[in-house]
Amino acid sequence: MGMLDTRRPGLADVLLDESLPLEAVLCRHPSFSLSFLTAGRHLAAPYEALRSPRLGDLFERARRAYHYIIVDTPPVLPVPDCRVIARWADSLLLVVAAHRTPRRFLEEALNALDPDKVAGLIFNSVDPPRPGPYAYYRGYGAPAAR
């Protein structure tokens, strides 16, 4: 089996099978101090599995074993997964596709989340820096160093 083999058990499997320990499904990167957990088997109703009290137990177990836990979820609006998982998160970063995500969708997503948990936004597909002495990416409009 490859490191990212989709047949490998993951979060869904651990949520559904209480006899399956988290440690049994974690993948460890051979070159870094990094472990990861795949989504696991495809579920017909993932939202229901995520509402399981077992998810909170898994987060608590992971908190004791790791310095940081990063969870990549589907978008906030079309599916409720992120909002369920956000309950267990210390902070949230929203990824926004620059020039593609409508402003109203971003506003709705921000309104759907606990504002105290939103740590910031990550903009993908941002235009490259504009040339000139007041290039936006060089110190928030400050003149470029010469």
Side-chain angles (χ1 to χ4, degrees):
M1 267 190 214
M3 193 166 78
L4 292 176
D5 192 324
T6 57
R7 296 169 295 182
R8 183 177 179 82
L11 178 61
D13 304 277
V14 173
L15 288 174
L16 296 175
D17 181 356
E18 291 191 26
S19 68
L20 185 61
L22 179 62
E23 296 76 18
V25 297
L26 285 172
C27 302
R28 287 171 178 66
H29 193 284
S31 302
F32 300 101
S33 178
L34 175 73
S35 297
F36 60 93
L37 177 65
T38 63
R41 76 172 91 157
H42 178 73
L43 298 175
Y47 173 72
E48 294 304 319
L50 291 173
R51 290 185 55 209
S52 160
R54 181 143 163 83
L55 181 63
D57 295 340
L58 293 172
F59 266 95
E60 288 307 315
R61 184 177 195 94
R63 283 179 197 276
R64 288 191 298 269
Y66 295 94
H67 295 284
Y68 299 101
I69 303 166
I70 300 171
V71 181
D72 182 19
T73 68
V76 175
L77 295 179
V79 291
D81 300 11
C82 176
R83 294 183 301 268
V84 172
I85 292 172
R87 172 181 176 195
W88 304 107
D90 294 326
S91 59
L92 307 167
L93 289 172
L94 273 69
V95 179
V96 179
H99 310 295
R100 287 190 46 214
T101 302
R103 191 175 295 212
R104 73 180 193 282
F105 288 178
L106 175 58
E107 185 177 351
E108 286 179 45
L110 288 169
N111 287 332
L113 299 170
D114 178 352
D116 292 333
K117 286 191 174 186
V118 177
L121 304 172
I122 297 173
F123 284 97
N124 279 346
S125 306
V126 176
D127 295 333
R130 290 175 258 172
Y134 294 98
Y136 178 78
Y137 294 97
R138 287 190 241 154
Y140 303 100
R146 296 193 191 252

